[in-house]
Amino acid sequence: MTTTGEEHVTVRGGPWWWARRRSAVLDVGLGVLSAVECAVEGVPFARDAGVPVAAGVVFGLLAGSVLVVRRRWPVAVVLVTIAITPAQMGFLMGVVGLYTLAASELPRRITAWLAGMSLVGTLIVTFVRVRQSMVRGDLDLGNWFLPFAAITTSLGLTAPPVLLGLYVGARRRLMESLRERADSLERELQLLAERAEERAEWARSEERTRIAREMHDVVAHRVSLMVVHAAALQAVARKDPEKAVKNAALVGDMGRQALTELREMLGVLRSGGDTAVRREPVVPLAAVRVAAAAAASRAVDEEGPCLSDLDELVGQSAAAGMVVDLSVEGEARSYAPEVEQTAYRVVQEALTNVHKHAAGAKTYVRLAHRASEIAMQVENEPPPEESASARLPSGGNGLVGMKERVSALGGVFVSGPTEAGGFRVSAVIPAS
């Protein structure tokens, strides 16, 4: 029984073994009709058998009422029908009983045996009755009529109910199977929907983390340089006006670049691009990720940061007063865009951290091109005691973002203080 069937039975249960009340009413009605039929047919049976008519009527009532239990004990109903066949009683009970037996879940061999017994019993009884009528002269037909009548009557009372019962039983089992499959499919769809929701939530979380990392990498470096230049501007404003003007120009340039990149990022988050807006009102997460990454990648020029831009990056830090030593080992070559952007971001974030936490410290940037990987290391010495801190706020996300970027490409990221009191950031990224 399927889940749907169990709920159906629970809601609309019938008395005793009936699943529904209308089934009970139908069986009781058929039992009453069968009892009346057998009672009427019991009158000639009693006369032929030489017993009281009342006994024949009572026997017919009891035998016909057995049809009430056809759903619970179909074998018993058919056996009773076969037993009273010689008395020419229970035609309705025989037809309904064979139908119920064929439509039930009993093994087919039991149905075949009982149907065969009913066929043979009806065939013999019909043959004997027709022969008696022909002997008495009630029927004046040829000898061909005797087997024809016996075979036709037995097949007519046996084959149709059995075939109809087999069809109804097969259809019922098919419907139950389809219902079970539908219930199973519904449960699977529900599980898939739950898993899809979990994956969507995970994707949203990943997108939020990715966008936050991109915005941090895009804005933090330039704002850090702006703060450093502003501090230098404040220090030299009265002593060296020419240098103050130069620092002010640098602050303005950095501010404009930071605003431009931030505006691009916010525009992506709001609209998702013109194409996305035209297609659907809600910006897909995939479009936000792709467009956000593209906008965040334009930190230096329109094509996105790459290893060839490290000289300019180091120059910006040097202009802010940092002593930076850049060394490159191995033969320079081109890498996949995501590899070059990740390497650039690692160096950029490491230099930003030096501005924040070790202003005035000498920094060494090393880049090594190897056969199957690219390695980078940014190490700073301890800051001089007389240097003033830039007092830049830190959310603690820079190192986490660098590690996430490198790990996403299958690389290794290590960071930590050095024995000399400085700080070192190292990363190795596969070349392909």
Side-chain angles (χ1 to χ4, degrees):
M1 181 67 69
T2 62
T3 304
T4 305
E6 291 176 355
E7 294 177 354
H8 185 70
V9 171
T10 303
V11 175
R12 302 182 60 186
W16 295 339
W17 60 82
W18 285 287
R20 292 174 292 185
R21 290 185 177 85
R22 66 179 184 181
S23 299
V25 173
L26 176 61
D27 289 353
V28 171
L30 290 175
V32 171
L33 291 177
S34 177
V36 172
E37 177 200 355
C38 292
V40 173
E41 294 170 346
V43 175
F45 166 72
R47 293 174 181 173
D48 294 342
V51 297
V53 175
V57 172
V58 173
F59 176 74
L61 289 173
L62 293 177
S65 61
V66 176
L67 190 59
V68 176
V69 299
R70 69 183 184 94
R71 296 179 190 267
R72 187 68 179 271
W73 296 293
V75 176
V77 174
V78 176
L79 290 177
V80 171
T81 302
I82 296 174
I84 63 177
T85 298
Q88 290 186 313
M89 299 171 59
F91 293 102
L92 176 62
M93 185 169 61
V95 173
V96 177
L98 288 174
Y99 164 79
T100 305
L101 178 67
S104 66
E105 300 295 334
L106 292 172
R108 289 290 167 256
R109 62 177 182 276
I110 297 178
T111 302
W113 276 103
L114 293 178
M117 292 171 61
S118 178
L119 176 67
V120 172
T122 305
L123 179 66
I124 294 175
V125 171
T126 304
F127 185 86
V128 172
R129 292 296 182 178
V130 173
R131 184 176 179 82
Q132 289 177 353
S133 298
M134 294 179 66
V135 170
R136 288 196 303 266
D138 296 340
L139 294 175
D140 188 10
L141 298 173
N143 295 330
W144 62 270
F145 182 74
L146 183 61
F148 174 77
I151 295 174
T152 303
T153 303
S154 59
L155 288 177
L157 294 177
T158 305
V162 171
L163 294 178
L164 180 60
L166 291 175
Y167 168 75
V168 172
R171 185 176 181 275
R172 183 184 302 156
R173 287 188 292 273
L174 176 61
M175 295 301 295
E176 291 180 355
S177 175
L178 293 176
R179 191 178 295 112
E180 290 177 355
R181 291 182 181 180
D183 294 339
S184 176
L185 181 60
E186 183 178 358
R187 289 191 294 270
E188 291 179 1
L189 290 177
Q190 185 176 0
L191 290 176
L192 290 176
E194 293 176 356
R195 293 177 182 175
E197 181 63 25
E198 292 176 357
R199 288 195 296 268
E201 182 63 28
W202 176 83
R204 286 192 290 268
S205 177
E206 288 294 316
E207 292 304 319
R208 286 193 295 266
T209 303
R210 183 188 298 271
I211 292 171
R213 185 170 60 244
E214 295 290 344
M215 294 185 69
H216 176 274
D217 292 342
V218 167
V219 179
H221 180 71
R222 299 196 182 279
V223 173
S224 300
L225 293 179
M226 289 173 59
V227 174
V228 172
H229 283 293
L233 177 61
Q234 183 180 6
V236 302
R238 295 181 178 179
K239 298 179 182 180
D240 192 349
E242 184 178 352
K243 188 175 181 180
V245 172
K246 182 179 179 182
N247 287 338
L250 290 174
V251 170
D253 291 340
M254 291 293 177
R256 281 188 292 272
Q257 292 177 5
L259 286 175
T260 300
E261 293 164 0
L262 184 60
R263 188 180 299 111
E264 291 177 355
M265 182 71 68
L266 295 178
V268 168
L269 295 177
R270 288 178 177 177
S271 64
D274 296 338
T275 303
V277 173
R278 286 196 299 268
R279 291 183 178 178
E280 52 186 33
V282 180
V283 180
L285 287 177
V288 173
R289 177 182 63 81
V290 174
S297 298
R298 292 193 291 268
V300 177
D301 54 27
E302 292 299 324
E303 296 180 356
C306 56
L307 294 177
S308 61
D309 301 323
L310 285 180
D311 291 334
E312 183 178 352
L313 179 64
V314 171
Q316 292 175 355
S317 295
M322 179 188 295
V323 180
V324 186
D325 181 14
L326 174 63
S327 62
V328 180
E329 300 176 4
E331 184 179 356
R333 63 183 186 275
S334 60
Y335 299 92
E338 58 271 15
V339 174
E340 295 206 10
Q341 291 176 12
T342 300
Y344 180 91
R345 295 299 187 193
V346 169
V347 176
Q348 182 187 54
E349 180 61 26
L351 292 177
T352 302
N353 288 339
V354 176
H355 283 294
K356 289 180 180 180
H357 308 292
K362 186 175 182 180
T363 305
Y364 302 91
V365 178
R366 297 181 179 90
L367 184 68
H369 299 276
R370 299 172 183 172
S372 58
E373 61 188 14
I374 179 173
M376 65 227 61
Q377 178 177 292
V378 179
E379 180 179 349
N380 63 274
E381 297 177 352
E385 296 180 358
E386 66 277 5
S387 65
S389 175
R391 297 182 181 179
L392 294 172
S394 176
N397 298 318
L399 295 177
V400 175
M402 285 190 283
K403 185 175 182 179
E404 290 177 350
R405 283 180 177 274
V406 174
S407 300
L409 298 178
V412 178
F413 178 84
V414 179
S415 63
T418 62
E419 295 180 357
F423 199 84
R424 180 187 297 118
V425 171
S426 301
V428 179
I429 305 174
S432 59

